[in-house]
Amino acid sequence: MVTIGIVGAGLRGRLFAEALQAQPDVTVVGLAEPSAKVAEEARDATGLPVTASHTELLEAFDPDAVIVATPDFAHRQIAVEVAEAGKHLLIEKPVATTLDDARAIAAAVQGSGVRCLVGFENRWNPHVVQAKAAMASGSLGEPITASATLSNSFFVPTTMLSWAAQSSPAWFLMPHTLDLVLWLTGRKPVSVSAVGSRGVLAKRGIDTWDVVHALVSFDDGSTATLSSAWTLPDAADGIVDFRFQVIGTEGSVTADLSHQGLTVVSDKHRSVWPVSGRIGRSQVGPAVWMVQDFAAGLVDGGELGPDVDHGVLVTEIICAIEESMTTGQTVHLSSPSTEATGRA
């Protein structure tokens, strides 16, 4: 039996708790949440005990593993202390929002010998999995270029996230698309050039980037372009625009994850993702399958997925994107190992 605690009892923490309820040989022992209001909501929703901090969670329940589902910028102390306590980790992407924090977490994980999965959930997205299989088959040849767009409507930074001013489209969205491109192509990134704009969200009281565009160059001369915005109109077709393409020397793979062929028209036209929520008695979706696979991997000792080194690489690249937007210069990356690229 593997016991798991969850730090962060908001929407993601509660999603993970519910997803693990029926997982064989797994028990969620409790959650940790400093907000009294959110903690009470989590108790009502999950029926689980909720402590006020991760240290209380560790002391009260001594779980085998901990899921860190706090805001992106609030991972370091929790992850380091959990790792140093000898607990396995699932950390929501990005692993951290500074390179110093990411490296501190990696050092704690490696020093304690615990296992760590960084939650790049699209590794469990059926469209992405099929795209990976197509690339791995060799039928598309060698990658020439890739592109990915992942954007949100104003609803996400203005309503869904209370901490949007401490994040950006680069930190909240690009970890997904950057991991996707690294995984699909298996190439080593060597430099980043990026541009962005800001001011629209600032007028709404959220002083962060509105739009981010990045060009990533790889060691073999191939490239990838990434675009993310937090400024889609709320009246648009859903709150997410998610598309990607990889072009190879012998073919290409393209996906539009915004629609998946299902639209609903009532007071307005909107897309709906059918692989989400509940089907029958089962919860479904990439985040659900990711956390269930994490727990199963702890039980059977098998593969978990993208590790902390890969998480550090993604953080390094997004830090470089922010630096390039600020300076207007191309930023050259340190030499990542093969283990920390798309093969992780």
Side-chain angles (χ1 to χ4, degrees):
M1 176 65 70
V2 169
T3 55
I4 296 178
I6 300 172
V7 182
L11 293 176
R12 292 290 281 189
R14 297 200 295 271
L15 171 71
F16 292 145
E18 185 179 356
L20 293 173
Q21 279 183 350
Q23 189 77 357
D25 300 316
V26 174
T27 298
V28 177
V29 293
L31 300 94
E33 173 56 54
S35 165
K37 179 177 182 294
V38 175
E40 187 61 34
E41 291 171 351
R43 287 188 195 96
D44 293 342
T46 66
L48 293 167
V50 184
T51 65
S53 69
H54 67 282
T55 54
E56 291 179 34
L57 181 73
L58 293 176
E59 290 169 2
F61 302 107
D62 192 29
D64 300 311
V66 170
I67 298 170
V68 180
T70 58
D72 300 343
F73 57 84
H75 290 173
R76 177 174 177 164
Q77 181 181 0
I78 299 163
V80 167
E81 292 181 3
V82 166
E84 290 176 344
K87 313 302 180 184
H88 304 299
L89 278 161
L90 189 164
I91 306 173
E92 277 275 57
K93 65 79 206 163
V95 67
T97 56
T98 73
L99 196 50
D100 184 56
D101 284 358
R103 287 172 173 162
I105 293 169
V109 167
Q110 292 156 0
S112 62
V114 299
R115 307 182 72 194
C116 179
L117 168 68
V118 181
F120 298 105
E121 67 183 57
N122 280 297
R123 301 281 187 109
W124 287 264
N125 185 313
H127 287 67
V128 179
V129 170
Q130 290 299 314
K132 176 63 174 176
M135 293 298 299
S137 73
S139 63
L140 306 184
E142 297 299 317
I144 301 170
T145 191
S147 61
T149 295
L150 179 56
S151 296
N152 291 145
S153 70
F154 280 111
F155 170 81
V156 171
T158 62
T159 303
M160 191 179 91
L161 299 180
S162 62
W163 42 273
Q166 294 170 273
S167 185
S168 69
W171 285 114
F172 191 69
L173 297 172
M174 280 190 174
H176 288 301
T177 50
L178 184 53
D179 171 66
L180 183 154
V181 165
L182 293 174
W183 192 46
L184 293 183
T185 66
R187 296 301 188 254
K188 296 181 185 179
V190 294
S191 67
V192 170
S193 299
V195 294
S197 61
R198 57 195 304 156
V200 175
L201 285 169
K203 291 178 181 176
R204 298 185 179 213
I206 303 163
D207 190 12
T208 190
W209 294 97
D210 300 325
V211 181
V212 179
H213 302 287
L215 171 66
V216 182
S217 297
F218 298 98
D219 62 344
D220 64 345
S222 61
T223 58
T225 56
L226 309 176
S227 294
S228 287
W230 262 355
T231 53
L232 298 180
D234 284 329
D237 184 12
I239 67 170
V240 177
D241 177 22
F242 188 8
R243 292 165 281 132
F244 71 86
Q245 179 180 61
V246 180
I247 299 173
T249 54
E250 306 296 330
S252 67
V253 58
T254 304
D256 185 341
L257 302 184
S258 309
H259 297 83
Q260 300 200 343
L262 180 64
T263 58
V264 176
V265 179
S266 54
D267 58 324
K268 68 175 182 177
H269 172 278
R270 64 188 186 278
S271 63
V272 179
W273 191 28
V275 185
S276 178
R278 287 189 167 276
I279 296 178
R281 294 178 178 84
S282 300
Q283 228 182 348
V284 297
V288 171
W289 298 323
M290 174 186 70
V291 74
Q292 291 174 343
D293 210 34
F294 167 72
L298 296 181
V299 171
D300 64 24
E303 277 291 318
L304 294 186
D307 62 12
V308 70
D309 286 335
H310 182 71
V312 172
L313 174 63
V314 170
T315 290
E316 179 185 359
I317 297 171
I318 297 177
C319 286
I321 288 170
E322 288 206 322
E323 180 182 346
S324 181
M325 284 193 295
T326 301
T327 65
Q329 303 296 313
T330 296
V331 178
H332 295 277
L333 304 169
S334 61
S335 300
S337 67
T338 301
E339 202 59 35
T341 66
R343 298 222 296 260

